[in-house]
Amino acid sequence: AKTGRNMSEKGTSFVNASETGEIPSFNGNETAKATDFANYFCSYAQLYHQKQMLADHNRMAAYHAAIMGNSSVFKDKVVMDVGTGSGILAVWAAQAGARRVYAIEYTDMAKHARSVMQANGVADIVTVIQGAVEDIVLPAEDDFEAEEDDMTDGSAKGTRVVDIMISEWMGYFLLRESMLDSIIRARDKFLKRRTGLMMPSHTTMYFAPVQDEEERKHSSNDYNASMSDWSEFADTTKTVYGVDMSVLERSSDHRL
């Protein structure tokens, strides 16, 4: 996941955040973006990873019902799918009646998504755009009307032309994939402020304390078993490697 870490000290090229601490795809330099891609995005360019997500039938059924079950909401609307992957949400949006769907994908999975659009007969409706959603520009030929309060002056063309924004951005424990910040920026840049819809638009996290005595005992026994031979370990380290580690024995007395 994108952790926001920055380890750009002398002699280290690992940079996983911008200079202001933002995610690299927002305002990071090329090194930060490359590191972010290597650590996070590259896995999503692999078909086996996409298949894992597509095989999650609870996930698939929920999105299918939300989109195809609300065709009256999608009819003639401009839709943006953020992080489209192999493109299935974009296909459903087109099948539900959207007049234009922008399928945004940062990785080379975008190439496969274009093939999926062709194979499903919606390539005339779905435009696959490869790039970070923070950086993309919508096609100039799509002259969709933005809300009036999005026009900066009499001649400027607004960017808030999207009626519905869909995305499967949730990860383990909801925030694992760290995509929420990109979704928020996409919303603030492209979604119509007064009438735009987000799907999903709300999430809930539930917390509860858990006690597993059997697991605690198992961990404690493992720890005690591994530390019980400390004296032998210290003697071996002293004899073989010439370093006295016996001073640490008192620390080994701490048990789980």
Side-chain angles (χ1 to χ4, degrees):
K2 295 180 285 186
T3 62
R5 293 191 302 167
N6 189 328
M7 297 176 64
S8 58
E9 289 85 356
K10 184 177 180 180
T12 304
S13 60
F14 180 90
V15 181
N16 201 27
S18 70
E19 293 181 357
T20 58
E22 300 281 358
I23 58 172
S25 57
F26 177 55
N27 65 353
N29 59 30
E30 292 306 312
T31 301
K33 289 181 179 180
T35 301
D36 202 40
F37 186 88
N39 290 341
Y40 176 73
F41 285 108
C42 64
S43 64
Y44 290 91
Q46 301 173 11
L47 284 172
Y48 88 91
H49 194 287
Q50 295 292 324
K51 181 178 179 294
Q52 284 181 319
M53 294 186 289
L54 295 173
D56 183 345
H57 296 295
N58 289 329
R59 163 190 179 272
M60 296 286 285
Y63 275 90
H64 184 264
I67 297 172
M68 301 303 293
N70 290 284
S71 56
S72 60
V73 176
F74 280 81
K75 183 175 175 56
D76 297 327
K77 295 298 193 298
V78 177
V79 178
M80 178 176 286
D81 177 12
V82 181
T84 194
S86 56
I88 194 166
L89 301 189
V91 172
W92 288 340
Q95 293 175 342
R99 61 170 169 161
R100 173 65 67 204
V101 181
Y102 297 114
I104 316 303
E105 174 59 34
Y106 189 43
T107 76
D108 284 343
M109 186 55 61
K111 299 174 183 177
H112 296 295
R114 292 189 183 98
S115 298
V116 170
M117 303 311 148
Q118 291 284 352
N120 287 273
V122 295
D124 59 326
I125 299 173
V126 181
T127 299
V128 178
I129 303 174
Q130 184 170 4
V133 72
E134 293 88 351
D135 299 331
I136 65 157
V137 176
L138 300 183
E141 61 269 22
D142 291 343
D143 191 19
F144 297 121
E145 184 177 353
E147 289 183 331
E148 290 183 5
D149 58 0
D150 184 41
M151 310 299 276
T152 57
D153 57 52
S155 60
K157 179 181 178 180
T159 61
R160 288 181 176 270
V161 300
V162 173
D163 298 297
I164 303 173
M165 185 169 289
I166 57 177
S167 181
E168 203 290 84
W169 56 268
M170 297 81 73
Y172 301 130
F173 201 58
L174 188 63
L175 301 176
R176 161 64 172 78
E177 295 183 22
S178 299
M179 241 186 94
L180 181 58
D181 40 15
S182 293
I183 293 296
I184 296 302
R185 290 194 172 92
R187 178 200 67 185
D188 293 346
K189 182 177 180 181
F190 296 110
L191 190 66
K192 291 182 178 179
R193 184 178 287 106
R194 294 195 307 272
T195 60
L197 300 176
M198 294 190 71
M199 300 181 73
S201 60
H202 297 77
T203 60
T204 303
M205 299 179 73
Y206 295 95
F207 297 83
V210 175
Q211 179 177 346
D212 188 336
E213 183 62 16
E214 288 301 316
E215 176 62 25
R216 190 198 68 79
K217 288 180 178 178
H218 179 74
S219 298
S220 179
N221 290 337
D222 282 351
Y223 179 86
N224 290 333
S226 67
M227 301 301 287
S228 62
D229 63 345
W230 185 271
S231 294
E232 181 182 346
F233 159 77
D235 290 342
T236 300
T237 304
K238 174 71 171 179
T239 301
V240 177
Y241 300 108
V243 177
D244 185 1
M245 304 293 287
S246 61
V247 68
L248 300 180
E249 186 169 4
R250 67 175 66 93
S251 298
S252 73
D253 290 336
H254 296 290
R255 300 291 187 263
L256 293 176

